[in-house]
Amino acid sequence: MRKQSVLSAAIAVSLVLGTSVVYAYDENFKDYDVYNVNVTADGAKDQYGNTITEQSYYRTGGDVKVITREEIEKRHYRDVTEAIKRVPGVTFQNPGYRGGEYGYQFYNNGVSINGDSRVVILVDGRRVDNAASGRVGNSSKRGTKSTGVNLDEVTTIDAIDKIEVIKGPGASQYGSDATGGVINIITRRGKGGFNSSIDVSTGSWHKHNYNLTMQGSAGKDGNTGYFITATRSMSQDTKYKDGDTGEVVTLGGSKWREQGINARIDHRFNKKQELQFSVNFKAGHDGYPISTPSMKYWNQNDWRRIIANATVGQFDENYKLIQDASYVTPKNPNGYAPTLYGNTKNPGYHNLYALDGRYGSYSQFRNTDLDLKYTFDRQGQLESFVRLYHLNHHYEGRDKYAWYRYGSNANARAAYATAFPNGTTAEAFNAWVDANLAPFPGGDQNALRQWIADTGGMAGAPTSWYNEIKNGIELQWGRSLDKHDIIANIDYSKSKLHTKSIGNTGTINESDVKRDTLYAYIQDKIYIGNNVEITPAIRYARYGSFESTGSGQSQGRGDTHAITPSLHGQFKFNKKTSAYAGWTKIMRPLKRGDYTSVDGIFNTPLDDEKGDAYTFGVRHVFGKNNNTAVAVHYDYTRMKNAVATLPIFDTASGDFKNTAVNAKEDKKSFNITVDHQLNKHITMSASYSHMKDKWMSKGGWVLDPDWGYRNSDDINVAINSLRPQNHYSLNISYDNNRLYSGLLLNWYTGNSTYAFTHRQFLIVDWNLNYEVTKDVTAYVVVNNLLNKAYETSYSTYNGRGSAAMPARSFMVGVKYKF
């Protein structure tokens, strides 16, 4: 009869069968706690090879990587991105600097798993995203499928105990919109007697980190555990390596500072009842460089060309403004040709963004999350609880720049036309540009400082505000009945986004967007003997109408709901081999802009994204001592209603036009990982990932055969050109009691040179720890050891190489426990 703990059963089976699995990939498993049960390395995985965590009872099989607290400390990760970037199939859209622009995916920290950016972020099993948010745009038409969460703003790394990276939908608990996968952050809980630590480090670019942690337990029987951490980090301007020229350049305006405080209190009334309260506060002030300047165009002459074309207009060979009758409008009675924007029309255009950083433009965030959870019953790992949560995420900033001294582009055009109605010489043109338009930021710094002073000075108080608030309640009932583990869960939340901005004329614009969501599911994990688990489930999701107020807002659009079934199973063939398989019905709701607008030649609104996701995997342990393990994972997602902007033939015009439509999509990915324990000191892990995407038209549409995804910066549509096709990773760790060293190699190949500056790049990170005494550890961390130029993000608007990643950097530090 199955009345005992799932965890205890898994450990018992492991011991009885003598099952041994290497831990090189989920590295640094010495011991950790799961609900006050100490788990040693020999019992860290169940008989199927799944790593056991506080949240693992939700899942049945699947490809899951668990990053432990010990690994975080030994590798000295300073944010979540660093911690998970080596996981096969995980890729990031990083802008190359710490700060970001609120509301634009390409300027934020976007993550995808196996080629899909529809990734759900959880903290202790609770969703972090806000259903009313416009953080990653307010439509799904171009690159906005993400849940809109910046991983590195969720919580401080020092408050994290484990990170689960789950590929594919995985389990009903994660939702029908977790197509790509799930990143579940599990926070630390206090235990044992009082102990504390101070961690201080410093390094490249005047980067400094300070961390203080305190934890322990109180009460007669130590039933109240507490964990508190306070963190502060800062850096001056980042340096990057330009992919075209190979120069190492300082990115002006990219300095940042962040701080956070986290506290968690757990009180255990008895073996079945527990109260947990946590508060997470994190805030930051980040620079606003938007992109990294391309050194190919970073010179005085190209600057004059770029800023003149973007501010004044287009010129003929005699520097006369081009006029065309087709351009005549009431606002442009002279018919001057339009100004040139974007990299294609105005190569190096994004270099103008450097002015934003020189003016001290910035973005700020302040997140406060509260979570109160009462567990009223527990059977092994199965929890029955009620949870209340409040998430308040506040963003504000000021983007300031001036291209023309006396106002708008129209004023600049009129002034130039008056000065040179019949054109002029190159010398006179250059002199006019230097006198009237912003000076080259890489040139005379005194002239630049004077320009900033003449155009209003540095960026001051914020002019834009975004406040996301989410309040919710979650109720779960879990029960172990003979050979069934049944979970029923319901989560209801109310989300709100309040925006406010001040225009150039001082006009204040405010608006509110609200949306309610209801998630509910029931699943039954069925144990068939000791070697088979089958988990059928059914999920219901209801997304209420967007209720909006303010200028330009519309009411009551977007009400949608769906029932989505799923089925997952895992099988143990023998002591060394196991397999898993899963299927999930997908429903991802559209965003606000999709419901309230129509697009393109069909002039019809879009429908919610729907489809099916399948996962398959096999694990096998080799060797007499079970010191080598191989895992193969395959994902297949078939969308019948995916949203994309595609070039479709328009019979009326006789040409192809970009149109947002619901199209068919086949997405495939393959991961293989080999873990090997060379000896008691050295472990190795090698992996390979490949992903491919194919889009197909519906209803007889004709797609442009010459398209090749080149006209899109939607990374979901252009996966085959906007991501490396192949990712190889090698992770080697050496642990000899007082000395630990880790070496990580990430090799990306098959890059499109239309989107990347190199067809391949190899990134090497290395760290070394030495335990000076039992309480003092010294360490060094080097990122991008080979000082390679590379990018992880692309925008057609900004062009190739406009998001260069940081150059080689190092940090040295000391951690003291007391």
Side-chain angles (χ1 to χ4, degrees):
M1 304 296 289
R2 186 174 163 73
K3 296 290 186 182
Q4 60 187 1
S5 162
V6 176
L7 173 62
S8 300
I11 297 174
V13 170
S14 177
L15 293 175
V16 170
L17 296 179
T19 302
S20 176
V21 183
V22 296
Y23 305 103
Y25 190 48
D26 287 349
E27 67 175 85
N28 295 315
F29 276 118
K30 289 190 175 178
D31 62 82
Y32 61 93
D33 283 342
V34 177
Y35 292 128
N36 299 308
V37 177
N38 185 262
V39 179
T40 63
D42 292 335
K45 296 196 177 188
D46 64 19
Q47 69 267 36
Y48 301 99
N50 303 304
T51 301
I52 299 169
T53 72
E54 290 86 336
Q55 303 283 318
S56 60
Y57 68 90
Y58 289 112
R59 305 189 305 270
T60 300
D63 188 359
V64 182
K65 166 70 176 78
V66 178
I67 298 167
T68 65
R69 182 67 218 169
E70 187 172 4
E71 178 182 345
I72 291 172
E73 293 190 353
K74 285 189 173 182
R75 295 277 184 165
H76 301 285
Y77 304 133
R78 295 314 309 167
D79 52 52
V80 179
T81 299
E82 284 188 10
I84 67 177
K85 67 181 180 181
R86 70 181 179 84
V87 178
V90 174
T91 54
F92 286 93
Q93 282 185 276
N94 294 78
Y97 51 87
R98 188 58 171 265
E101 182 177 6
Y102 180 91
Y104 293 89
Q105 181 177 15
F106 301 107
Y107 307 143
N108 279 276
N109 198 344
V111 60
S112 66
I113 298 178
N114 281 338
D116 199 322
S117 63
R118 290 166 283 209
V119 176
V120 171
I121 311 300
L122 308 174
V123 174
D124 291 326
R126 166 182 49 78
R127 290 180 67 127
V128 180
D129 55 284
N130 184 299
S133 173
R135 179 164 175 71
V136 190
N138 65 357
S139 80
S140 307
K141 297 173 185 176
R142 294 183 68 82
T144 57
K145 299 179 188 295
S146 165
T147 53
V149 176
N150 188 326
L151 271 174
D152 296 332
E153 294 178 2
V154 172
T155 187
T156 60
I157 192 73
D158 299 287
I160 296 174
D161 187 58
K162 306 177 191 71
I163 305 172
E164 294 180 320
V165 181
I166 304 159
K167 299 176 185 176
S172 292
Q173 194 257 355
Y174 306 125
S176 57
D177 57 337
T179 313
V182 179
I183 298 172
N184 184 27
I185 297 169
I186 301 172
T187 60
R188 299 171 71 179
R189 56 193 292 154
K191 60 181 180 180
F194 174 82
N195 61 87
S196 300
S197 67
I198 296 176
D199 192 335
V200 179
S201 59
T202 187
S204 300
W205 316 320
H206 300 285
K207 184 176 179 180
H208 310 295
N209 295 314
Y210 310 93
N211 171 254
L212 170 67
T213 62
M214 295 181 292
Q215 66 169 335
S217 60
K220 182 179 180 180
D221 299 318
N223 287 343
T224 302
Y226 58 89
F227 177 85
I228 302 171
T229 182
T231 302
R232 183 175 177 85
S233 58
M234 63 195 72
S235 176
Q236 292 300 306
D237 289 344
T238 301
K239 289 188 177 182
Y240 68 96
K241 190 168 185 178
D242 185 85
D244 284 319
T245 67
E247 297 176 69
V248 175
V249 187
T250 298
L251 179 58
S254 60
K255 62 183 179 181
W256 53 268
R257 65 175 183 273
E258 292 181 356
Q259 53 276 333
I261 298 176
N262 300 87
R264 173 172 167 175
I265 300 175
D266 296 86
H267 178 73
R268 187 176 67 253
F269 298 100
N270 50 54
K271 292 183 178 180
K272 293 188 174 183
Q273 296 174 315
E274 186 176 51
L275 184 67
Q276 173 188 319
F277 173 73
S278 63
V279 56
N280 167 60
F281 172 80
K282 190 170 184 182
H285 180 106
D286 301 319
Y288 196 89
I290 303 182
S291 77
T292 54
S294 294
M295 292 298 103
K296 181 179 179 180
Y297 303 107
W298 193 248
N299 58 74
Q300 186 75 53
N301 286 331
D302 273 311
W303 177 265
R304 289 173 178 141
R305 170 187 58 81
I306 295 167
I307 197 169
N309 284 153
T311 309
V312 180
Q314 300 175 41
F315 309 89
D316 63 17
E317 64 277 9
N318 296 316
Y319 297 97
K320 180 182 178 180
L321 278 169
I322 295 175
Q323 294 175 276
D324 191 317
S326 63
Y327 297 133
V328 174
T329 66
K331 291 185 177 180
N332 185 23
N334 295 311
Y336 292 123
T339 52
L340 298 178
Y341 295 86
N343 191 70
T344 301
K345 295 180 179 179
N346 194 357
Y349 172 80
H350 69 275
N351 282 8
L352 294 177
Y353 301 158
L355 282 174
D356 302 63
R358 301 302 196 274
Y359 274 86
S361 297
Y362 63 91
S363 62
Q364 297 181 152
F365 74 91
R366 184 176 65 253
N367 297 346
T368 304
D369 297 343
L370 305 175
D371 193 306
L372 180 65
K373 176 182 173 184
Y374 173 60
T375 302
F376 54 85
D377 191 25
R378 175 178 289 126
Q379 284 191 310
Q381 278 189 285
L382 286 177
E383 288 185 309
S384 297
F385 64 81
V386 60
R387 161 185 270 154
L388 301 173
Y389 55 89
H390 169 77
L391 312 181
N392 190 328
H393 297 174
H394 181 82
Y395 305 87
E396 61 187 27
R398 177 75 179 272
D399 180 20
K400 186 176 181 181
Y401 61 93
W403 293 351
Y404 176 56
R405 188 186 302 274
Y406 304 110
S408 68
N409 289 4
N411 293 339
R413 186 180 298 113
Y416 184 87
T418 300
F420 307 112
N422 300 311
T424 186
T425 63
E427 292 77 10
F429 172 82
N430 291 339
W432 189 93
V433 170
D434 292 345
N436 293 276
L437 303 184
F440 174 46
D444 187 342
Q445 295 304 298
N446 290 327
L448 181 62
R449 283 190 286 268
Q450 187 61 51
W451 174 268
I452 293 172
D454 292 344
T455 53
M458 300 290 285
T463 54
S464 62
W465 297 261
Y466 304 79
N467 201 48
E468 298 174 356
I469 298 175
K470 180 179 180 181
N471 295 305
I473 181 171
E474 181 182 6
L475 177 64
Q476 177 169 300
W477 178 83
R479 185 66 62 189
S480 180
L481 302 173
D482 194 16
K483 295 183 180 296
H484 300 264
D485 280 352
I486 301 173
I487 301 175
N489 183 290
I490 185 169
D491 187 329
Y492 174 72
S493 62
K494 299 176 72 68
S495 298
K496 176 182 177 180
L497 168 65
H498 176 76
T499 63
K500 177 182 177 183
S501 62
I502 301 176
N504 293 332
T505 61
T507 304
I508 297 177
N509 298 308
E510 292 190 71
S511 65
D512 288 294
V513 179
K514 300 178 182 178
R515 194 178 209 189
D516 299 348
T517 55
L518 175 66
Y519 303 116
Y521 73 89
I522 183 168
Q523 75 171 37
D524 181 10
K525 184 178 289 189
I526 306 168
Y527 298 87
I528 304 174
N530 293 323
N531 298 324
V532 179
E533 291 182 10
I534 302 294
T535 306
I538 190 166
R539 184 177 182 91
Y540 175 75
R542 172 66 180 268
Y543 299 86
S545 297
F546 285 103
E547 302 296 337
S548 306
T549 59
S551 175
Q553 302 297 325
S554 60
Q555 290 283 346
R557 301 294 300 274
D559 185 87
T560 186
H561 64 94
I563 295 176
T564 53
S566 67
L567 179 65
H568 293 82
Q570 58 183 344
F571 321 93
K572 182 176 176 61
F573 299 108
N574 51 52
K575 294 180 180 181
K576 293 178 178 287
T577 307
S578 64
Y580 59 84
W583 162 73
T584 299
K585 202 75 176 175
I586 299 168
M587 198 287 283
R588 174 195 167 274
L590 297 172
K591 295 193 175 184
R592 176 165 44 106
D594 302 318
Y595 293 114
T596 58
S597 65
V598 294
D599 186 73
I601 62 175
F602 297 111
N603 201 36
T604 56
L606 299 170
D607 294 324
D608 295 320
E609 291 193 311
K610 295 179 181 178
D612 299 271
Y614 305 88
T615 60
F616 311 91
V618 178
R619 306 183 185 99
H620 184 74
V621 179
F622 294 88
K624 182 178 180 180
N625 298 319
N626 296 330
N627 61 345
T628 303
V630 176
V632 178
H633 176 81
Y634 177 77
D635 265 344
Y636 175 51
T637 302
R638 185 176 181 85
M639 300 294 292
K640 64 179 181 180
N641 225 28
V643 175
T645 298
L646 303 176
I648 298 174
F649 187 76
D650 177 21
T651 55
S653 65
D655 197 3
F656 293 95
K657 291 186 177 181
N658 289 336
T659 303
V661 294
N662 290 108
K664 295 179 182 178
E665 175 191 14
D666 278 357
K667 187 188 299 290
K668 302 173 184 178
S669 66
F670 172 79
N671 308 144
I672 182 170
T673 303
V674 179
D675 303 317
H676 178 68
Q677 187 163 357
L678 188 63
N679 53 48
K680 66 178 181 178
H681 300 302
I682 302 175
T683 56
M684 303 172 62
S685 176
S687 64
Y688 167 72
S689 300
H690 179 79
M691 57 198 76
K692 187 174 182 179
D693 206 6
K694 180 181 180 181
W695 287 82
M696 296 159 287
S697 63
K698 295 174 62 175
W701 307 336
V702 178
L703 297 182
D704 185 351
D706 298 324
W707 177 43
Y709 305 110
R710 285 177 174 261
N711 67 342
S712 176
D713 52 18
D714 179 351
I715 201 163
N716 294 281
V717 176
I719 176 178
N720 298 326
S721 60
L722 299 189
R723 289 188 181 91
Q725 293 183 12
N726 306 294
H727 176 200
Y728 304 85
S729 179
L730 177 63
N731 182 38
I732 305 173
S733 60
Y734 173 83
D735 195 344
N736 189 8
N737 295 324
R738 298 174 66 178
L739 181 67
Y740 173 88
S741 183
L743 183 69
L744 173 63
L745 294 84
N746 282 301
W747 185 32
Y748 299 88
T749 70
N751 304 335
S752 167
T753 53
Y754 130 79
F756 297 91
T757 57
H758 297 84
R759 289 195 58 81
Q760 61 182 13
F761 50 84
L762 174 66
I763 308 303
V764 179
D765 301 322
W766 172 76
N767 76 286
L768 178 71
N769 300 343
Y770 181 70
E771 191 176 285
V772 181
T773 70
K774 67 175 183 178
D775 296 323
V776 178
T777 300
Y779 60 88
V780 58
V781 179
V782 182
N783 290 318
N784 196 1
L785 181 67
L786 301 180
N787 200 27
K788 292 293 185 178
Y790 70 108
E791 311 87 34
T792 64
S793 180
Y794 169 77
S795 165
T796 55
Y797 194 79
N798 293 338
R800 191 186 72 156
S802 60
M805 296 298 290
R808 179 170 51 225
S809 65
F810 72 91
M811 296 290 293
V812 294
V814 176
K815 183 173 183 178
Y816 172 59
K817 300 177 181 178
F818 60 95

